[in-house]
Amino acid sequence: MERRFYRLKEKVEASGETGRMRFIEDPEEMQAEGLRLRRGGALPALVPTMGALHPGHLALVQRAKEEGAPVIVSIYVNPLQFGPQEDFAAYPRQEEADRQTCEAAGVDLLFSPRELYAGDHSTYVTEEALSFGRCGRSRPGHFRGVATVVAKLLNLTQAAVAVFGWKDAQQLSVIRRMIRDLAFPVRVVPVEIQRDLDGLAWSSRNRYLSPEQRKRATAFPRILAEAARRPDGRAWATVELNRMPGFRVDYVEVADGRLCAAVWIDKIRLIDNFPCES
């Protein structure tokens, strides 16, 4: 793997691109600014996140900057995509650090709303084909929450481009389908998974891993990478992952030309995928 992504945060912080970022919390103000940009001929590029930013997010920002348009990063821990037994309350939040990271990365506008839903919110966006199976099977309602918040963010920011990572492959498929089916004037730009030096895909949830769990977790991408090169990859990966101490396999499936999997390491759930080569 390339060390450049591991050191991306340090590089952008040393780039000197600070001091230009605007910070908005109010959704109505955000929408007014998005409309102002559109009227002025700018076509914003949006990077939606839930914060706890890491080099994987920064790769999305760098790709968004290549569009030559204002770059908007949104940070919102979306309660609609968490199930009753999931980690919404404990999800990592580091507002000031994320703000500094965005400014150092040359983000033009950081949208970090305190709340996006009215107390009597009752309207949702539901995709009814790609949302089932894989993560949708073990996280019912998750993709309804994802589609709803992304639709809202696209409306508020008036983005013409939305940048997503391949790490959440099913999410990317659902968002693409939603944008197509509901005729959003938005182009989706996917970015390949970024990995730490030990091969683990960057994820905000990696910080939950103890050093011992982290060491075990490195077998996950290693096995998937090998399986993606094999004609029997899905079956082989399932057997090999089930052999790993402390692993519990949620699924191993092929979708969108990629070998996708989710595993539990003790109480921590990790997802990953690789393009199939055979």
Side-chain angles (χ1 to χ4, degrees), residues 103-153:
E103 189 164 19
V107 170
D108 296 290
L109 195 154
L110 175 60
F111 177 44
S112 184
R114 295 297 177 186
E115 185 52 80
L116 279 181
Y117 307 108
D120 58 351
H121 174 91
S122 58
T123 303
Y124 301 89
V125 179
T126 304
E127 190 285 322
E128 297 190 349
L130 306 176
S131 296
F132 304 103
R134 289 188 282 165
C135 291
R137 182 171 53 246
S138 58
R139 303 185 69 188
H142 171 72
F143 289 113
R144 182 182 78 158
V146 169
T148 300
V149 77
V150 171
K152 192 154 192 173
L153 289 169

Side-chain angles (χ1 to χ4, degrees), residues 159-170:
V161 174
V163 183
F164 289 89
W166 267 112
K167 180 179 153 297
D168 298 293
Q170 190 173 8

Side-chain angles (χ1 to χ4, degrees), residues 76-99:
Y76 182 66
V77 183
N78 176 32
L80 295 188
Q81 66 192 69
F82 289 82
Q85 306 303 317
E86 295 184 333
D87 58 345
F88 174 71
Y91 194 85
R93 293 163 171 84
Q94 49 183 45
E95 295 178 6
E96 185 55 34
D98 287 345
R99 186 168 177 169

Side-chain angles (χ1 to χ4, degrees), residues 7-243:
R7 298 192 58 80
L8 185 55
K9 184 175 186 294
E10 289 83 354
K11 286 185 178 181
V12 296
E13 288 177 344
S15 68
E17 295 188 70
T18 60
R20 299 185 296 112
M21 187 179 75
R22 184 173 176 188
F23 179 71
I24 295 179
E25 291 183 305
D26 181 66
E28 291 185 4
E29 182 183 352
M30 178 68 259
Q31 191 164 56
E33 177 63 14
L35 290 167
R36 185 190 70 79
L37 290 170
R38 283 274 194 170
R39 284 195 297 267
L43 299 174
L46 173 66
V47 180
T49 83
M50 293 205 300
L53 302 181
H54 51 65
H57 293 116
L58 290 174
L60 305 183
V61 172
Q62 294 301 305
R63 178 61 186 85
K65 291 172 68 176
E66 294 174 11
E67 293 294 313
V71 174
I72 302 172
V73 170
S74 65
I75 295 179
Y76 182 66
V77 183
N78 176 32
L80 295 188
Q81 66 192 69
F82 289 82
Q85 306 303 317
E86 295 184 333
D87 58 345
F88 174 71
Y91 194 85
R93 293 163 171 84
Q94 49 183 45
E95 295 178 6
E96 185 55 34
D98 287 345
R99 186 168 177 169
Q100 292 175 8
T101 295
C102 286
E103 189 164 19
V107 170
D108 296 290
L109 195 154
L110 175 60
F111 177 44
S112 184
R114 295 297 177 186
E115 185 52 80
L116 279 181
Y117 307 108
D120 58 351
H121 174 91
S122 58
T123 303
Y124 301 89
V125 179
T126 304
E127 190 285 322
E128 297 190 349
L130 306 176
S131 296
F132 304 103
R134 289 188 282 165
C135 291
R137 182 171 53 246
S138 58
R139 303 185 69 188
H142 171 72
F143 289 113
R144 182 182 78 158
V146 169
T148 300
V149 77
V150 171
K152 192 154 192 173
L153 289 169
L154 292 174
N155 281 330
L156 290 172
T157 62
Q158 293 292 296
V161 174
V163 183
F164 289 89
W166 267 112
K167 180 179 153 297
D168 298 293
Q170 190 173 8
Q171 170 181 280
L172 177 59
S173 297
V174 169
I175 295 306
R176 280 173 155 169
R177 181 65 59 87
M178 178 195 76
I179 284 173
R180 186 201 72 180
D181 288 354
L182 299 185
F184 277 85
V186 176
R187 176 165 53 89
V188 175
V189 175
V191 175
E192 192 51 71
I193 297 171
Q194 310 302 314
R195 300 183 181 279
D196 207 338
L197 293 178
D198 58 7
L200 205 61
W202 281 102
S203 170
S204 301
R205 288 188 170 93
N206 288 352
R207 67 190 63 203
Y208 297 158
L209 296 166
S210 69
E212 187 274 332
Q213 289 170 328
R214 174 92 190 202
K215 185 176 180 180
R216 277 190 281 148
T218 60
F220 184 31
R222 175 175 54 79
I223 290 170
L224 274 190
E226 171 63 24
R229 295 190 285 266
R230 301 171 61 108
D232 61 343
R234 178 184 179 187
W236 184 86
T238 301
V239 170
E240 293 299 312
L241 290 171
N242 275 315
R243 287 176 176 170

